[in-house]
Amino acid sequence: MNSTILVVDDEQEIADLIEVYLRGEGYEVETCYNASDALVRLHEKNIDLAILDVMLPDMDGFSLCRKIRESDFFPIIMLTAKVEDMDKITGLTLGADDYMTKPFNPLELMARVKTQLRRYQRYNTGGNPLKTEGYEIRGLSISRQSHQCTLNGEKLNLTPIEFEILWYLCSHQNQVVSSEELFEAVWKEKYLDSNNTVMAHIARLREKMHEPARKPNFIKTVWGVGYKIER
């Protein structure tokens, strides 16, 4: 069954262009020009990935992203005409998985859609069998086979990206993992010095784990170096 993509952009020309490219890749597409219609569509259809514009007439894309994350964990790619780093960080901390600035190359967007869907499908099916199927660290339990994660018995509702970050850190216990290494391992892309993607996702993970930002118990910051989880 083909994946269904939700496209939300009030610029009809851009939304229709994205739809053409997605359909050309064989995806089913649900296109909306405002957030209200998108929320209705979310209840009517099984969505596998959403592409959200930040600037919408009735609700900004960040608020829409937040509402989606209240119940759904499929990948979200944000589109915006703004280039400020803070906008990117805002989207990522609210649960977005990726971010592209307008104007964008449609072929690059298609590549990112495919990457996110592969990760999401692997997340939902348990992925390929690995020698190590899980880790238990001071009340934190994470399983590759079931793609489940609990902390002191409480289930953590993680997005595929968040799961991959936590898994990578757990698989490198007591080792400091740089932002560059973490980004390239999870996103499979070249890391740029100005990239705050990892920092934003770490902040989101800590929030879900109810971790104090200044003195976290699990994901610790080694200033100027990276992050680590200790046994």
Side-chain angles (χ1 to χ4, degrees):
M1 184 175 177
N2 294 338
S3 298
T4 301
I5 314 295
L6 174 67
V7 177
V8 189
D9 197 316
D10 65 330
E11 294 184 69
Q12 187 169 343
E13 214 172 280
I14 293 177
D16 292 349
L17 176 67
I18 294 172
E19 179 175 346
V20 168
Y21 273 86
L22 287 170
R23 290 194 183 279
E25 295 289 341
Y27 299 119
E28 299 292 330
V29 184
E30 297 292 328
T31 301
C32 299
Y33 306 115
N34 59 65
S36 299
D37 288 347
L39 290 171
V40 171
R41 207 68 60 87
L42 282 164
H43 286 98
E44 296 175 343
K45 302 286 184 177
N46 291 321
I47 303 299
D48 298 294
L49 181 144
I51 300 172
L52 311 180
D53 185 30
V54 169
M55 303 301 290
L56 296 170
D58 53 345
M59 177 192 297
D60 65 74
F62 296 140
S63 299
L64 179 56
C65 178
R66 186 189 296 113
K67 288 191 73 67
I68 290 173
R69 281 292 177 251
E70 290 174 2
S71 57
D72 294 295
F73 298 95
F74 52 72
I76 296 175
I77 299 175
M78 304 292 294
L79 301 178
T80 182
K82 297 183 178 181
V83 296
E84 288 86 351
D85 226 18
M86 190 51 65
D87 290 319
K88 179 176 180 177
I89 294 170
T90 299
L92 295 173
T93 55
L94 291 174
D97 298 278
D98 206 350
Y99 192 99
M100 289 194 72
T101 304
K102 295 179 179 178
F104 56 85
N105 184 332
L107 294 177
E108 182 182 353
L109 178 59
M110 294 306 104
R112 295 193 182 204
V113 166
K114 291 175 185 176
T115 297
Q116 293 297 335
L117 283 173
R118 278 197 300 270
R119 182 180 288 119
Y120 181 57
Q121 287 157 1
R122 186 170 69 243
Y123 178 87
N124 284 326
T125 59
N128 296 324
L130 299 177
K131 289 182 180 179
T132 303
E133 293 186 350
Y135 296 97
E136 298 277 349
I137 306 172
R138 294 182 287 113
L140 175 66
S141 175
I142 185 168
S143 168
R144 171 67 82 183
Q145 187 174 22
S146 65
H147 271 84
Q148 295 277 323
C149 183
T150 61
L151 180 57
N152 298 322
E154 177 187 349
K155 182 181 177 182
L156 300 180
N157 292 317
L158 305 181
T159 66
I161 285 278
E162 291 162 353
F163 182 93
E164 292 296 336
I165 290 172
L166 192 56
W167 178 269
Y168 195 83
L169 290 172
C170 288
S171 68
H172 292 76
Q173 296 169 54
N174 289 337
Q175 301 176 37
V176 180
V177 178
S178 69
S179 294
E180 178 179 359
E181 178 185 345
L182 194 52
F183 183 85
E184 293 184 357
V186 173
W187 277 267
K188 312 298 183 187
E189 296 178 14
K190 187 66 179 173
Y191 180 84
L192 301 176
D193 289 340
S194 59
N195 195 324
N196 288 303
T197 302
V198 171
M199 180 182 69
H201 277 85
I202 292 290
R204 179 75 175 169
L205 260 174
R206 284 172 173 163
E207 181 183 338
K208 288 187 175 183
M209 296 171 73
H210 311 296
E211 288 268 81
R214 293 185 179 275
K215 290 186 177 181
N217 296 312
F218 287 96
I219 304 176
K220 298 187 177 182
T221 301
V222 180
W223 294 107
V225 185
Y227 304 94
K228 72 172 179 176
I229 287 181
E230 297 175 336
R231 290 192 184 90

